[in-house]
Amino acid sequence: MKRIMLTLILLVGIGGYTTYAQSELSLQECLKYALTNNQQLARIRMEEDMGRFKTSEVRAKALPQVNASGQYTNNIKKQVLAVPGELIQEPGKTVLLEAGTTHNVTASGTLTQTIYDQSVFTGLKAAKAGEEYYSMQSVQSEETVIYNVTQLYYSTLVSREKMIVLDANIEKISKLVNTTGSQVESGLARKIDLDRMRVNLTNYKTQRTQAQNQYLVQLNQLKQQMGMSMAASIDLPHTSFKEIESKAVGALDFGGVNLDNRIEYRLLKKQEELQEFQKKAYKAEYYPSLALSGNYSYNGISNKFDMFKGSGSTASWYSMAAVSLTLKIPIFDGFARRSRVSQASVTLKELNKQKEETALALNTQFENAKLQVQNNLTTIQAQKENVDLANEVYNSTQNNYNLGLANLTDLLDAETSLTEAQNNYNEALLQYKLAELDIIKSNGNLKSLLN
């Protein structure tokens, strides 16, 4: 894998970014930087943390639930009870008696433990599967970052190669303009030829500016994908693609598609598993549930606010305790449970069809990527030969022009053809690398680019 020179100068005070000074960063180092600093990936990893917390939340339902409470009540106006007078030896009358005491203090505690609840047990399994789903989402985001950074990396390198081609042509035609200018002053060349050269030079400079703008835009996109500050300065030197040329004459091993290596397919399978748990959870609502609970309270009552004066208090204290076993049996809910189970079954069928659709799409992508690689290798070989031929034609035409055996039009046409051949060759190299990247993605081996 090629190495590139990137001089990264980060502003003082910018946090969260690794600072490099006069360092060379390979593609692998760019990818590792991106996996550490990409903001979207960091957000997805927070979702993974959220999955673990949700598992803990569901697990809590199977553990004992303990609560404590305290209460003070001041009965400013007590309740009055109407009782027959016979109870207090006043027959024939209705007597009004105050109920309770003025001050009441209660401290209590309760404990509840689920003994059997099928929905809780199913929820625990679903929560664990959900945690794995969030983890797989992080893996998918990592692969997306690797793919995007690699794609931009090679695109930026090829844009730089186009600039180098234009720089070389500008240098050549500038020398030709200077030489022809001297010849025009000596009467050995026509001014119209000089003007045509200047027009071509201006066109090349305009193309150079456009290519530079494209290059800088791609650099910014690369920095964005890496999670790098826009204040960082990145410089990519000339890079060779010789190893690609060697592949054009060799045999290729594309491997095969293993759907279980593709995170997209694995996510669908995990969604299917989660939906199965959801269906089981709805079915669990048909089952009875059993829970054990106990409570204890300590109470104090008095008509004076002297509850905590020890032995001198007029308060009376007493305690209460109870243990209960609660059985809940669902009988009829208007077929709501049955409807939820049916909905879950339909969702499972949809996911199965989505799996089939995804499998077909992934296999299609792999076959198309193989065709692209093969076509691009053929194109590279043809364009390489075309560059050599265009270079030979240009050199021959230039010699003939210097000897007066070829006109300016022939020279300018040969130069334009050489430029187009060089740019087409560089574009073929880029398209090969992008197709090769798609092959690696189709095989589920994007993380191999980190090695």
Side-chain angles (χ1 to χ4, degrees):
M1 193 64 66
K2 263 63 75 230
R3 298 184 64 82
I4 60 173
M5 174 75 72
L6 296 100
T7 303
L8 309 177
I9 305 173
L10 301 183
L11 293 177
V12 176
I14 295 180
Y17 298 97
T18 304
T19 304
Y20 297 90
Q22 300 294 332
S23 60
E24 293 185 1
L25 295 182
S26 64
L27 172 61
Q28 292 87 348
E29 290 168 325
C30 289
L31 292 175
K32 290 175 183 177
Y33 186 98
L35 292 178
T36 302
N37 295 280
N38 181 274
Q39 291 84 1
Q40 183 178 7
L41 180 56
R43 180 174 55 80
I44 296 298
R45 284 171 176 161
M46 292 178 187
E47 291 291 330
E48 187 176 350
D49 293 335
M50 185 70 74
R52 287 192 290 269
F53 295 139
K54 287 183 177 180
T55 300
S56 298
E57 179 184 4
V58 174
R59 187 182 295 115
K61 295 180 180 179
L63 299 176
Q65 308 294 307
V66 181
N67 296 286
S69 63
Q71 183 179 20
Y72 163 73
T73 303
N74 188 330
N75 296 307
I76 300 174
K77 191 171 181 62
K78 300 174 186 176
Q79 182 181 357
V80 175
L81 301 177
V83 298
E86 285 78 4
L87 295 178
I88 57 172
Q89 298 178 356
E90 294 184 16
K93 294 184 179 180
T94 299
V95 181
L96 299 179
L97 300 177
E98 287 187 339
T101 55
T102 303
H103 304 284
N104 296 270
V105 175
T106 302
S108 63
T110 60
L111 182 147
T112 304
Q113 172 64 59
T114 298
I115 298 177
Y116 177 80
D117 190 333
Q118 187 62 37
S119 63
V120 173
F121 301 147
T122 302
L124 285 171
K125 296 178 182 178
K128 188 62 179 177
E131 187 176 337
E132 294 170 356
Y133 179 79
Y134 283 114
S135 179
M136 291 170 65
Q137 279 189 321
S138 295
V139 173
Q140 184 183 38
S141 296
E142 288 175 0
E143 291 191 357
T144 300
V145 169
I146 291 172
Y147 184 87
N148 291 339
V149 169
T150 304
Q151 192 177 53
L152 284 168
Y153 179 90
Y154 286 120
S155 297
T156 306
L157 286 181
V158 171
S159 294
R160 177 61 182 268
E161 290 299 307
K162 292 180 180 179
M163 290 170 56
I164 292 174
V165 169
L166 289 170
D167 287 339
N169 291 332
I170 289 172
E171 183 180 359
K172 284 189 292 188
I173 200 169
S174 295
K175 291 179 179 178
L176 191 59
V177 166
N178 293 334
T179 302
T180 305
S182 300
Q183 291 176 343
V184 169
E185 292 177 359
S186 303
L188 301 176
R190 299 180 303 171
K191 184 177 183 301
I192 189 173
D193 291 340
L194 178 61
D195 291 340
R196 290 179 63 189
M197 291 179 187
R198 286 173 174 168
V199 169
N200 266 29
L201 180 60
T202 300
N203 288 339
Y204 278 129
K205 288 181 177 179
T206 300
Q207 292 176 28
R208 173 62 167 76
T209 300
Q210 293 172 345
Q212 184 178 22
N213 288 339
Q214 181 183 11
Y215 169 74
L216 294 175
V217 167
Q218 288 174 333
L219 278 180
N220 286 337
Q221 291 174 337
L222 179 60
K223 287 189 287 185
Q224 180 187 4
Q225 281 295 322
M226 291 173 63
M228 184 180 292
S229 169
M230 290 295 110
S233 177
I234 305 178
D235 183 28
L236 279 67
H238 176 74
T239 303
S240 173
F241 291 90
K242 293 297 183 183
E243 83 285 355
I244 300 178
E245 298 173 15
S246 65
K247 290 182 180 180
V249 295
L252 293 177
D253 180 13
F254 297 108
V257 175
N258 184 350
L259 293 177
D260 287 332
N261 284 344
R262 292 301 300 267
I263 189 63
E264 301 94 327
Y265 192 76
R266 284 158 49 202
L267 275 170
L268 283 174
K269 291 179 68 175
K270 185 57 67 175
Q271 285 181 339
E272 188 177 41
E273 181 183 352
L274 286 169
Q275 190 58 39
E276 285 283 2
F277 281 125
Q278 183 63 72
K279 183 177 179 179
K280 289 179 180 179
Y282 290 146
K283 287 183 175 180
E285 295 177 9
Y286 287 103
Y287 293 85
S289 61
L290 184 65
L292 175 68
S293 61
N295 64 78
Y296 175 84
S297 64
Y298 193 54
N299 308 276
I301 57 176
S302 177
N303 284 316
K304 296 181 179 180
F305 192 73
D306 58 355
M307 314 291 291
F308 307 103
K309 289 186 177 180
S311 59
S313 172
T314 61
S316 298
W317 290 89
Y318 61 94
S319 61
M320 293 188 300
V323 176
S324 61
L325 195 63
T326 304
L327 176 65
K328 181 180 178 182
I329 303 175
I331 297 175
F332 182 70
D333 67 346
F335 304 110
R337 286 187 292 269
R338 186 178 68 179
S339 297
R340 287 193 288 271
V341 171
S342 299
Q343 291 174 46
S345 298
V346 173
T347 302
L348 282 170
K349 292 178 182 178
E350 291 176 344
L351 283 171
N352 187 54
K353 288 298 180 183
Q354 191 175 354
K355 280 172 56 183
E356 294 177 3
E357 180 183 1
T358 301
L360 179 60
L362 294 178
N363 278 285
T364 302
Q365 289 174 11
F366 176 68
E367 293 300 324
N368 289 342
K370 286 198 301 183
L371 290 174
Q372 287 294 330
V373 168
Q374 292 170 334
N375 292 337
N376 287 326
L377 286 177
T378 302
T379 302
I380 287 172
Q381 190 171 10
Q383 289 297 334
K384 182 66 172 68
E385 295 173 355
N386 196 39
V387 169
D388 294 338
L389 180 60
N391 194 52
E392 183 180 341
V393 169
Y394 175 78
N395 290 333
S396 177
T397 304
Q398 187 179 40
N399 289 332
N400 290 336
Y401 176 77
N402 292 335
L403 295 173
L405 301 177
N407 58 38
L408 180 63
T409 299
D410 293 336
L411 179 61
L412 295 179
D413 286 346
E415 185 181 43
T416 300
S417 297
L418 177 58
T419 301
E420 290 178 354
Q422 290 170 326
N423 284 332
N424 289 339
Y425 173 68
N426 288 329
E427 184 64 26
L429 294 176
L430 172 62
Q431 293 305 317
Y432 168 80
K433 292 304 295 183
L434 297 182
E436 185 183 51
L437 180 61
D438 286 335
I439 286 287
I440 296 173
K441 180 180 179 181
S442 296
N443 291 333
N445 294 323
L446 279 174
K447 286 195 174 182
S448 66
L449 295 172
L450 292 167
N451 302 323

